[in-house]
């Protein structure tokens, strides 16, 4: 079964919370960690700044927590010495590891480092104060740690503002009430990629089906499709819509009726396409096996 739109509210969700600053976000994360690990240790990178006006955004929160801490080695270009980090992790029972994405960049061995931390169930946090867009748009950071935090005013024309995200939220909480920016609860990058993947998969299933003409054969880089539109040939579009929906496949027929000002327009879009277009769902709830069954039912109806 495929619904007309995505309904599963627990897929690809990230719990965002607005804070006054990245420092406040980091402090909140440490407090969360400290509840479960009152005598834990925080492992920090060996490159942390301080100023007389602002203090240290990273270290002040650690010092105020009262928790023990230790530094792991970074190289000349801020690269993490993974063996040193591993050694210090192994010396502590339940450490908190902080990874800092300096200046918006990620470590060249980011995947190797984070995979090792995940595989060993290490609580770790990604400091994306400089890397909010590296995370949100590029998808290169911020998703593997238990938490990530951000400095909005470092990238946007704001005087203050931070955020934190829990990548493993508790679904018993009313997340919508915690976050004034509800759409940021969702992993937009993953949804973007799944919709693109579903589009490409459905294209392969439909491209040789007689009686169906794919409108957009080439899915260009950066395009996130809403649906998969096709032109129905030699079959009544309205009948196809009802028959497919009765079988549990939520096809939609977008722009099937033109505004009255276009009722007699001679353009092909209004006079032809509007009468023959139908849209297949490719949203993030859709699975490959669902699309396969949908196309099987389509072929039966079209008798092809």
């Amino acid at each position: 079964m495929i619904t007309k739109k995505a309904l599963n509210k627990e897929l690809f969700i990230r719990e965002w919370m607005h804070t006054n600053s990245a420092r406040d976000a980091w402090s909140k994360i440490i407090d969360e960690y400290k509840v479960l690990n009152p005598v834990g240790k925080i492992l920090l990178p060996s490159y942390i700044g301080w100023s007389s006006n602002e203090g240290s955004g990273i270290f002040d929160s650690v010092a105020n927590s009262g928790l023990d801490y230790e530094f792991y080695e970074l190289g000349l270009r801020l690269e993490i010495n993974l063996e040193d980090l591993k050694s210090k992790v192994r010396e502590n029972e339940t450490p908190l590891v902080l990874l800092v994405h300096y200046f918006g960049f990620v470590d060249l061995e980011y995947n190797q480092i984070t995979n090792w931390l995940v595989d060993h169930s290490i609580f770790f946090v990604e400091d994306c104060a400089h890397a909010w867009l590296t995370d949100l748009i590029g998808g290169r950071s911020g998703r593997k740690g238990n938490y990530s935090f951000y400095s909005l005013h470092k990238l946007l024309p704001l005087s203050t503002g931070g955020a934190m995200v829990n990548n493993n939220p508790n679904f018993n909480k009313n997340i919508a009430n915690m976050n004034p920016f509800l759409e940021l609860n969702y992993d937009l990058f993953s949804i973007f990629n799944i919709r693109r993947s579903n589009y490409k998969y459905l294209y392969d299933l439909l491209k040789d089906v007689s009686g169906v003409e794919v409108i957009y054969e080439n899915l260009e880089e950066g395009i996130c499709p809403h649906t998969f539109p096709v032109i129905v040939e030699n079959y009544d579009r309205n009948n196809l819509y009802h028959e497919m929906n009765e079988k549990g496949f939520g096809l939609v027929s977008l722009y099937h009726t033109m505004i009255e000002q276009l009722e007699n327009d001679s353009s092909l879009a209004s006079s032809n396409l509007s009468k023959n277009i139908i849209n297949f769902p490719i949203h993030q709830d859709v699975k490959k096996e669902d699309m396969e069954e949908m196309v099987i039912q389509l072929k039966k109806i079209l008798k092809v």
Side-chain angles (χ1 to χ4, degrees):
M1 303 289 285
I2 299 179
T3 57
K4 289 179 180 291
K5 65 176 186 177
L7 298 175
N8 191 336
K9 295 181 179 180
E10 295 189 1
L11 284 179
F12 308 108
I13 194 167
R14 307 174 79 196
E15 179 188 333
W16 287 76
M17 180 181 294
H18 184 266
T19 60
N20 290 328
S21 65
R23 184 188 309 227
D24 286 350
W26 175 219
S27 294
K28 287 179 179 292
I29 293 168
I30 293 174
D31 288 343
E32 292 280 343
Y33 166 78
K34 189 175 178 180
V35 170
L36 298 177
N37 304 278
V39 293
K41 177 179 279 190
I42 302 176
L43 301 183
L44 301 164
S46 57
Y47 185 78
I48 297 175
W50 176 89
S51 76
S52 58
N53 292 329
E54 299 180 351
S56 175
I58 292 176
F59 190 69
D60 288 350
S61 298
V62 176
N64 292 337
S65 74
L67 292 174
D68 194 9
Y69 56 87
E70 189 173 4
F71 300 99
Y72 60 86
E73 292 181 7
L74 299 183
L76 183 62
R77 292 173 175 79
L78 300 176
E79 68 274 19
I80 294 172
N81 181 333
L82 181 53
E83 293 308 312
D84 183 65
L85 176 60
K86 288 180 179 180
S87 174
K88 288 181 169 61
V89 166
R90 293 184 180 117
E91 292 171 358
N92 296 276
E93 187 174 346
T94 55
L96 184 165
V97 174
L98 179 68
L99 304 180
V100 179
H101 303 307
Y102 295 101
F103 318 125
F105 292 86
V106 297
D107 195 286
L108 291 176
E109 296 186 351
Y110 171 79
N111 286 327
Q112 182 181 351
I113 294 164
T114 54
N115 287 343
W116 186 86
L117 293 170
V118 170
D119 290 344
H120 290 79
S121 300
I122 305 302
F123 188 108
F124 73 99
V125 175
E126 298 185 54
D127 178 344
C128 300
H130 294 168
W132 188 45
L133 298 183
T134 301
D135 172 355
L136 192 61
I137 304 302
R140 294 291 308 279
S141 66
R143 288 168 168 76
K144 290 188 174 182
N146 297 74
Y147 288 89
S148 299
F149 64 91
Y150 314 86
S151 179
L152 305 185
H153 67 87
K154 292 185 184 296
L155 292 167
L156 301 175
L158 304 170
S159 58
T160 61
M164 57 183 281
V165 60
N166 180 352
N167 285 316
N168 303 291
N170 180 352
F171 291 113
N172 293 324
K173 292 189 290 186
N174 190 341
I175 294 172
N177 290 338
M178 295 181 60
N179 178 18
F181 307 105
L182 178 60
E183 68 278 8
L184 291 182
N185 277 329
Y186 294 93
D187 187 341
L188 303 181
F189 181 75
S190 292
I191 292 172
F192 170 94
N193 280 324
I194 286 174
R195 283 178 173 264
R196 285 180 57 86
S197 176
N198 282 348
Y199 190 99
K200 293 175 181 178
Y201 192 79
L202 186 56
Y203 173 76
D204 287 335
L205 295 175
L206 288 175
K207 64 183 180 182
D208 297 321
V209 175
S210 178
V212 171
E213 180 183 344
V214 177
I215 295 177
Y216 301 109
E217 295 185 351
N218 181 29
L219 182 62
E220 296 182 355
E221 290 299 319
I223 300 298
C224 182
H226 173 254
T227 58
F228 192 114
V230 303
I231 296 171
V232 180
E233 303 170 336
N234 306 317
Y235 199 89
D236 186 277
R237 185 271 316 279
N238 293 329
N239 288 343
L240 179 61
Y241 168 85
H242 291 297
E243 290 176 69
M244 288 294 289
N245 274 274
E246 287 172 1
K247 292 182 179 298
F249 299 99
L251 274 64
V252 294
S253 186
L254 298 177
Y255 311 116
H256 55 80
T257 302
M258 298 290 96
I259 57 174
E260 64 180 52
Q261 291 89 340
L262 289 174
E263 285 179 354
N264 299 314
D265 189 83
S266 61
S267 71
L268 291 177
S270 56
S271 66
N272 187 290
L273 182 62
S274 65
K275 297 177 175 62
N276 298 288
I277 190 172
I278 202 162
N279 305 69
F280 291 84
I282 46 83
H283 55 73
Q284 58 269 26
D285 289 1
V286 178
K287 303 292 189 296
K288 289 182 178 179
E289 55 267 28
D290 295 329
M291 289 186 282
E292 292 167 357
E293 181 60 28
M294 180 168 62
V295 173
I296 289 173
Q297 293 300 324
L298 173 69
K299 290 180 177 178
K300 288 181 180 179
I301 292 173
L302 297 180
K303 295 182 171 57
V304 297

